């Protein structure tokens, strides 16, 4: 969970914590945040994510 928390810190969304759910459907994060998260994940793992695996769930 620390890695995920660090992803949010890296995209300057320190207002999000572990207790939050449904970030997309509750409009807590938007498409720009999702793109930034994807970029952080790709940077961390040093490999691209396939678009088919990126879903709101």
């Amino acid at each position: 969970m620390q890695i995920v928390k660090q992803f949010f810190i890296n995209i300057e969304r320190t207002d999000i914590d572990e207790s939050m759910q449904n970030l997309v459907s509750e409009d807590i994060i938007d498409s720009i945040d999702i793109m930034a998260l994807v970029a952080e994940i790709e940077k961390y793992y040093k490999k691209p994510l396939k678009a088919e695996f990126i879903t709101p769930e």
Side-chain angles (χ1 to χ4, degrees):
M1 192 55 136
Q2 278 302 106
I3 294 170
V4 174
K5 189 172 185 176
Q6 189 61 48
F7 291 152
F8 282 106
I9 291 169
N10 291 351
I11 67 163
E12 300 178 3
R13 287 303 308 263
T14 55
D15 57 320
I16 297 172
D17 64 42
E18 307 79 38
S19 66
M20 295 177 160
Q21 297 180 12
N22 305 317
L23 299 176
V24 174
S25 63
E26 293 181 9
D27 293 327
I28 297 170
I29 63 173
D30 59 16
S31 59
I32 302 298
D33 293 324
I34 293 169
M35 295 294 289
L37 280 172
V38 168
E40 283 297 315
I41 293 167
E42 290 177 335
K43 184 168 61 172
Y44 180 82
Y45 289 104
K46 297 180 174 84
K47 52 192 330 187
L49 289 175
K50 292 184 179 181
E52 63 198 54
F53 296 113
I54 302 171
T55 63
E57 296 80 29

